[in-house]
Amino acid sequence: RGSAGTGKTVVALHWAAERARRAREEEGNLPILFTTFVKTLPPVFENLYRRMPDAPEGLVEFVNIDKLAYRICGEAQERRWVDGNAVREAAQSAFKAIVTPGTPLAKDGLSQQYLEDEVCKVVKGRGLDSVDEYLDVQRTGRGTRFDASRRRQVWEFMEAWDLGMSERGTVDYADTMLRALELAQARPGPTYRSAVIDEAQDLTLVGLQLVRALVNGPNAADRPDGLLIVGDGAQRIYPGAFTLRQAGVEVRGRTTVLRQNYRNTSEILRTSMAVAGRGQFVDMGDEPEDGPRQRDGESGEPIRSGPRPLLVDCGDDDSENEFLAKQIRSLVDSGTVDLGDIGVFVLINRAVSSTVRRLRNSDIPATRLTTYDGVPTPEVKVGNYKRSKGLEFKVVFLPRVKAGYVPREQTARQSDEEYAEQRELELSEFYVAMTRARDQLIVSFGEDPSELLVASIDEFETVTPEDL
């Protein structure tokens, strides 16, 4: 494990290459699996791997975990089609039928999304087979306390949701993962010699078990050099969590902490920690542990210095749009960076589309991160905070960091506990986005700044567009 910028993925790629070299000499010549949760990262990792000298070709397979699960089901002649609209319709119908006025979950004010996450990340994500198992499980990573009555109601919601999906001829991704695990455990032998799980904190426990089954085959014991788990609990950006001990993986005495930050300047890292590094996170270690986003000595020691991150007060949204385009052109014209060295990250997908459109209207080539495969292109890369994970750029712009937007405001019917959990995840997302910057970080707002910025304003160089 290691914090942002400490080279975890680089270590993982070299580990995969070394295992591939060894696999060529073994009987069976099984390939190496390199997987992660974010679906846009495997092509990036594969291109990085190909640029490594002496990396064996054709022996390392890069695929995201959901695609892998879907393929395993397909190889067994089982069609596991996920119809997103039908899944949402079934969930909405189940929520209305089960979470009725006066019931425990309705009194709590929990949203439909919260219950969907509970089902997919805790119940199905842990592979729980009965309500009795759910009643006993430790809901690691979930902030809202659930007594027996609430857990039973969640189970009823899940059963109604499953029935609705069945009637609509669909399943969800969690169901596909569970079925893939069953099929993998029934295979006569291992499918891969070894596997790397990058950004492991974002997988479900069932996803981890799927990878282990594909490496170990019918033998439950982990193979020597069979699994490399790479992650950082402080960068978890999806609901739910688990510890490796809960997954049955023994790592005591076999864990390495990377402590040198090779990406960020000391100024960028210090500002990122001040703004978003104070939140709580769940470690992936032996036992559940809530603590600050980084332990003492594990935030990574930078080896470089640079300019202080800029905080730009644009006055209003229209002026901020003008500033973004103008500053990108200025940087490129100065010769310090190319267009492809610049990343622009926003909170939600809708803002990604509008940002790409505005940049193109300003004659600045821009592309979405969803189409980026790691091969350098002369375009600004635009994505949401989640899509920025695992990437880095010389210059990072974070626009629209204003009050009520980052983090989002609590809704009228949202419970305090649910909102606190949502806020911590959004804080983690913002931390991830800030730490993508190698040399320069530019944060801007058009109206009132986010509370996160106000609390750490001394870490920035505060300017207006006219100052640049």
Side-chain angles (χ1 to χ4, degrees), residues 155-183:
W155 197 270
E156 292 175 7
F157 166 71
M158 180 185 69
E159 291 179 328
W161 187 12
D162 285 346
L163 178 60
M165 286 191 290
S166 177
E167 292 172 346
R168 291 167 173 81
T170 188
V171 294
D172 60 20
Y173 290 108
D175 292 321
T176 302
M177 193 72 63
L178 280 166
R179 182 55 182 154
L181 173 59
E182 294 173 353
L183 293 169

Coordinates of all heavy atoms in Angstrom, one line a residue, residues 155-183:
W155 N -33.2 -6.5 3.4 CA -33.3 -7.8 2.7 C -34.6 -7.9 1.9 O -34.6 -8.4 0.8 CB -33.2 -9.0 3.7 CG -32.9 -10.3 3.1 CD1 -33.8 -11.2 2.7 CD2 -31.6 -10.8 2.9 NE1 -33.1 -12.3 2.1 CE2 -31.7 -12.1 2.3 CE3 -30.3 -10.4 3.1 CZ2 -30.7 -12.9 1.9 CZ3 -29.2 -11.2 2.8 CH2 -29.4 -12.4 2.2
E156 N -35.7 -7.4 2.5 CA -36.9 -7.4 1.7 C -36.8 -6.5 0.5 O -37.4 -6.9 -0.6 CB -38.0 -6.9 2.6 CG -38.4 -7.8 3.8 CD -39.4 -7.1 4.7 OE1 -39.9 -6.0 4.4 OE2 -39.7 -7.7 5.8
F157 N -36.2 -5.4 0.6 CA -35.9 -4.5 -0.5 C -35.2 -5.3 -1.6 O -35.5 -5.2 -2.8 CB -35.2 -3.3 -0.1 CG -34.6 -2.4 -1.2 CD1 -35.5 -1.7 -2.1 CD2 -33.3 -2.4 -1.5 CE1 -34.9 -1.0 -3.2 CE2 -32.7 -1.7 -2.5 CZ -33.6 -1.0 -3.4
M158 N -34.1 -6.0 -1.2 CA -33.3 -6.7 -2.2 C -34.1 -7.8 -2.9 O -34.1 -8.0 -4.1 CB -32.1 -7.4 -1.5 CG -31.2 -8.2 -2.5 SD -29.9 -9.1 -1.6 CE -30.8 -10.3 -0.7
E159 N -35.0 -8.5 -2.1 CA -35.8 -9.6 -2.8 C -36.8 -9.0 -3.8 O -37.0 -9.5 -4.8 CB -36.5 -10.4 -1.7 CG -35.6 -11.2 -0.8 CD -36.3 -12.0 0.3 OE1 -37.3 -11.4 0.8 OE2 -35.9 -13.1 0.6
A160 N -37.4 -7.8 -3.4 CA -38.3 -7.2 -4.3 C -37.6 -6.7 -5.5 O -38.1 -6.7 -6.7 CB -39.0 -6.1 -3.6
W161 N -36.4 -6.1 -5.3 CA -35.6 -5.6 -6.4 C -35.2 -6.8 -7.4 O -35.3 -6.6 -8.6 CB -34.4 -4.9 -5.9 CG -33.5 -4.2 -6.9 CD1 -33.8 -3.9 -8.2 CD2 -32.2 -3.7 -6.7 NE1 -32.8 -3.2 -8.8 CE2 -31.8 -3.1 -7.9 CE3 -31.4 -3.6 -5.6 CZ2 -30.5 -2.5 -8.0 CZ3 -30.1 -3.0 -5.7 CH2 -29.7 -2.4 -6.9
D162 N -34.7 -7.9 -6.8 CA -34.4 -9.0 -7.6 C -35.5 -9.5 -8.4 O -35.4 -9.9 -9.6 CB -33.8 -10.2 -6.7 CG -32.4 -9.9 -6.2 OD1 -31.8 -9.0 -6.8 OD2 -32.0 -10.6 -5.3
L163 N -36.7 -9.6 -7.8 CA -37.9 -10.1 -8.5 C -38.2 -9.1 -9.7 O -38.6 -9.6 -10.8 CB -39.1 -10.2 -7.5 CG -40.4 -10.6 -8.2 CD1 -40.3 -12.0 -8.8 CD2 -41.5 -10.5 -7.1
G164 N -38.1 -7.8 -9.4 CA -38.4 -6.8 -10.5 C -37.4 -7.0 -11.6 O -37.8 -6.8 -12.8
M165 N -36.2 -7.2 -11.3 CA -35.2 -7.4 -12.4 C -35.5 -8.7 -13.2 O -35.4 -8.7 -14.4 CB -33.8 -7.4 -11.8 CG -33.3 -6.1 -11.4 SD -31.5 -6.0 -11.0 CE -31.5 -7.0 -9.5
S166 N -35.8 -9.7 -12.5 CA -36.2 -11.0 -13.2 C -37.3 -10.8 -14.1 O -37.3 -11.3 -15.3 CB -36.5 -12.0 -12.1 OG -36.8 -13.3 -12.8
E167 N -38.4 -10.1 -13.7 CA -39.5 -9.8 -14.5 C -39.2 -9.0 -15.7 O -39.8 -9.1 -16.8 CB -40.6 -9.1 -13.7 CG -41.2 -10.0 -12.6 CD -42.1 -9.2 -11.7 OE1 -42.1 -8.0 -11.7 OE2 -42.9 -9.9 -11.0
R168 N -38.1 -8.2 -15.6 CA -37.7 -7.3 -16.7 C -36.6 -8.0 -17.6 O -36.1 -7.4 -18.5 CB -37.3 -6.0 -16.2 CG -38.4 -5.1 -15.6 CD -37.9 -3.9 -14.8 NE -38.9 -3.0 -14.4 CZ -39.7 -3.2 -13.4 NH1 -39.6 -4.3 -12.6 NH2 -40.7 -2.4 -13.0
G169 N -36.2 -9.2 -17.2 CA -35.2 -9.9 -18.0 C -33.8 -9.4 -17.8 O -33.0 -9.4 -18.8
T170 N -33.4 -8.9 -16.7 CA -32.1 -8.3 -16.5 C -31.5 -8.8 -15.1 O -32.2 -9.3 -14.3 CB -32.1 -6.8 -16.6 OG1 -30.7 -6.3 -16.6 CG2 -32.9 -6.2 -15.4
V171 N -30.2 -8.5 -14.9 CA -29.6 -8.6 -13.6 C -28.7 -7.4 -13.5 O -28.6 -6.6 -14.4 CB -28.6 -9.9 -13.6 CG1 -29.4 -11.2 -13.7 CG2 -27.6 -9.8 -14.7
D172 N -28.1 -7.2 -12.3 CA -27.2 -6.1 -12.1 C -25.8 -6.6 -12.1 O -25.5 -7.8 -12.2 CB -27.5 -5.3 -10.8 CG -27.5 -6.2 -9.5 OD1 -26.8 -7.3 -9.6 OD2 -28.1 -5.8 -8.5
Y173 N -24.8 -5.7 -12.0 CA -23.4 -6.1 -12.0 C -23.0 -7.0 -10.8 O -22.2 -7.9 -11.0 CB -22.5 -4.9 -12.1 CG -22.6 -4.1 -13.4 CD1 -23.3 -2.9 -13.5 CD2 -22.0 -4.7 -14.5 CE1 -23.3 -2.2 -14.7 CE2 -22.1 -4.0 -15.8 CZ -22.8 -2.8 -15.8 OH -22.9 -2.1 -17.0
A174 N -23.6 -6.7 -9.7 CA -23.3 -7.6 -8.5 C -23.7 -9.0 -8.7 O -23.0 -9.9 -8.3 CB -24.0 -7.0 -7.2
D175 N -24.9 -9.2 -9.3 CA -25.3 -10.6 -9.6 C -24.4 -11.3 -10.6 O -24.1 -12.5 -10.4 CB -26.7 -10.5 -10.2 CG -27.8 -10.1 -9.3 OD1 -27.7 -10.5 -8.1 OD2 -28.7 -9.3 -9.7
T176 N -23.9 -10.5 -11.6 CA -23.0 -11.1 -12.5 C -21.7 -11.5 -11.8 O -21.1 -12.6 -12.1 CB -22.7 -10.1 -13.6 OG1 -23.9 -9.7 -14.3 CG2 -21.7 -10.7 -14.7
M177 N -21.2 -10.7 -10.9 CA -20.0 -11.0 -10.2 C -20.1 -12.3 -9.4 O -19.3 -13.1 -9.3 CB -19.6 -9.8 -9.3 CG -18.2 -9.9 -8.7 SD -16.9 -9.6 -10.0 CE -17.3 -8.0 -10.5
L178 N -21.3 -12.4 -8.7 CA -21.6 -13.6 -7.9 C -21.6 -14.8 -8.7 O -21.0 -15.9 -8.3 CB -22.9 -13.4 -7.1 CG -22.9 -12.5 -5.9 CD1 -24.3 -12.2 -5.5 CD2 -22.2 -13.3 -4.7
R179 N -22.3 -14.8 -9.9 CA -22.3 -15.9 -10.7 C -21.0 -16.3 -11.3 O -20.6 -17.5 -11.4 CB -23.4 -15.7 -11.8 CG -23.5 -16.9 -12.8 CD -23.9 -18.1 -12.0 NE -24.1 -19.3 -12.9 CZ -23.9 -20.6 -12.5 NH1 -23.6 -20.8 -11.2 NH2 -24.0 -21.6 -13.3
A180 N -20.2 -15.3 -11.7 CA -18.9 -15.5 -12.2 C -18.0 -16.2 -11.1 O -17.2 -17.1 -11.5 CB -18.2 -14.2 -12.6
L181 N -18.1 -15.8 -9.9 CA -17.4 -16.5 -8.8 C -17.8 -18.0 -8.7 O -16.9 -18.8 -8.6 CB -17.6 -15.8 -7.5 CG -17.0 -16.4 -6.2 CD1 -15.5 -16.6 -6.4 CD2 -17.4 -15.7 -5.0
E182 N -19.0 -18.3 -8.8 CA -19.5 -19.7 -8.7 C -18.9 -20.5 -9.9 O -18.4 -21.6 -9.7 CB -21.0 -19.7 -8.8 CG -21.7 -19.1 -7.5 CD -23.2 -19.1 -7.7 OE1 -23.7 -19.4 -8.8 OE2 -23.9 -18.8 -6.7
L183 N -18.9 -19.9 -11.1 CA -18.4 -20.6 -12.2 C -16.9 -20.8 -12.1 O -16.3 -21.8 -12.5 CB -18.7 -19.8 -13.5 CG -20.2 -19.8 -13.8 CD1 -20.5 -18.7 -14.9 CD2 -20.7 -21.1 -14.3

